[in-house]
Amino acid sequence: MARSKKQSRSAPAAPGAGGGPVRVGLVADAHYADKADRKDRCYRWSLPKVQQAVEHFSRTGVDFVVEVGDLIDSGASIDEETGLARRINKELRVFKGDRHYVLGNHCVSLLTKNEFLRACDGGDPYYAFDHKGVCFIILDACYRPDEQPYGRNNFDWREACIPRAECEWLSGALDRTRSKAIVFIHQRVDVGDDYGLANGQVVRDILERSGKVSAVIQGHYHPGDYRKIGPIHYITLSAMVTGPGLDSNAYAILEVRPDGSADLAGFGRQKSYTLE
Ligand SMILES: [Zn+2]
């Protein structure tokens, strides 16, 4: 998490629980880079698109913002990618509240996780926190199936997993919370194809067994998608980078209540969903 000093991996419940639903501003797959469009990926447009989303979040009031991964696209060098991350993050920093960064494969293809998170003043790669009686969990699936962390172009984007240690931490975090939980992750937990985790079934079992997770918010698959498996809703957000102009923007505001029910209001190309 940005803004506070150091986020512990299991923060205590925020004071003042109650009141209205938690409102979360969501941005996924901005892929910002200072380079020409490639097919429908319009990299430079992500700067004004993030500005528009942040302005909307600030004007209507959200409790915090979650950036769901692939904030940047690839550059020619470590320095260039660090510059891209700082540049796009300058727009996110306009939001005067907490910001949470989910690692995406493009964030940590050349850069290491620490390098990317430092450039965005982000926190740990994965952690949990409570807000107004809801538990929020940020996961990091940027690992090869042999559990080596992504970085320095050492991986194939079609191979991602959550290592055993992080799975154990996830079970523990869900055991400890007494709240309903929302999970954020870049890669998909709900499919077994190129976009899904190598150990998606293991992770789904952990989430379902807890009985506490109402929704998983994902990115990575640019068209976006929705699936329900067992009691859990899996929303794949549409990529912000797709298409030129602000008319093709895509971002969302999630409203979650302590009973786990939620509404996702989509803007631009992002669809809206009601999660019972
Ligand atoms: Zn992406």
Side-chain angles (χ1 to χ4, degrees):
M1 179 181 72
R3 203 163 150 265
S4 72
K5 275 203 185 89
K6 185 76 187 163
Q7 176 75 8
S8 90
R9 284 196 172 164
S10 189
V22 185
R23 285 168 52 82
V24 185
L26 296 172
V27 167
D29 290 274
H31 283 257
Y32 173 63
D34 186 12
K35 61 185 181 187
D37 303 352
R38 194 170 62 82
K39 296 182 184 160
D40 63 352
R41 296 189 179 190
C42 301
Y43 306 103
R44 290 186 178 117
W45 273 104
S46 285
L47 221 46
K49 285 175 178 174
V50 167
Q51 283 169 359
Q52 185 184 48
V54 165
E55 190 277 325
H56 191 156
F57 298 155
S58 300
R59 179 167 39 83
T60 61
V62 297
D63 292 77
F64 52 86
V65 168
V66 180
E67 186 278 305
V68 190
D70 282 2
L71 182 60
I72 58 168
D73 206 86
S74 46
S77 65
I78 294 170
D79 282 351
E80 188 187 331
E81 288 201 1
T82 304
L84 293 173
R86 290 209 180 107
R87 180 66 194 88
I88 189 77
N89 192 50
K90 205 173 139 189
E91 304 305 333
L92 285 168
R93 289 176 74 165
V94 171
F95 176 72
K96 299 292 175 224
D98 290 343
R99 286 167 279 115
H100 300 270
Y101 296 80
V102 180
L103 290 175
N105 48 300
H106 279 273
C107 305
V108 292
S109 54
L110 180 56
L111 299 183
T112 64
K113 296 182 184 187
N114 279 340
E115 286 167 348
F116 174 80
L117 290 169
R118 220 182 301 133
C120 293
D121 43 56
D124 290 333
Y126 63 89
Y127 54 92
F129 60 98
D130 285 293
H131 192 86
K132 291 187 191 165
V134 182
C135 176
F136 295 92
I137 296 178
I138 305 282
L139 290 180
D140 170 17
C142 290
Y143 289 89
R144 305 192 313 212
D146 66 359
E147 303 202 346
Q148 281 301 305
Y150 287 7
R152 300 288 187 263
N153 294 323
N154 67 344
F155 66 93
D156 179 333
W157 70 268
R158 288 167 289 235
E159 295 182 329
C161 86
I162 297 204
R164 270 162 299 180
E166 188 175 337
C167 284
E168 278 167 30
W169 170 85
L170 174 61
S171 307
L174 287 167
D175 274 351
R176 282 189 296 277
T177 185
R178 276 173 289 154
S179 306
K180 290 291 184 184
I182 303 285
V183 173
F184 300 97
I185 180 169
H186 181 67
Q187 292 89 342
R188 298 185 66 169
V189 185
D190 59 336
V191 294
D193 62 12
D194 285 350
Y195 294 89
L197 300 186
N199 60 343
Q201 183 68 57
V202 172
V203 177
R204 286 200 300 273
D205 287 348
I206 293 170
L207 302 180
E208 277 182 38
R209 223 181 303 129
S210 76
K212 293 171 184 164
V213 177
S214 60
V216 177
I217 310 292
Q218 317 169 125
H220 198 45
Y221 177 68
H222 288 195
D225 200 3
Y226 167 83
R227 282 165 63 104
K228 190 166 188 216
I229 305 178
I232 301 177
H233 303 273
Y234 293 83
I235 295 180
T236 303
L237 298 171
S238 299
M240 182 178 265
V241 72
T242 308
L246 290 177
D247 288 346
S248 62
N249 204 353
Y251 61 94
I253 296 178
L254 179 73
E255 284 195 357
V256 195
R257 291 163 286 275
D259 66 0
S261 66
D263 293 294
L264 185 121
F267 301 96
R269 288 176 297 98
Q270 176 61 54
K271 281 189 193 146
S272 298
Y273 299 97
T274 297
L275 311 178
E276 304 291 348

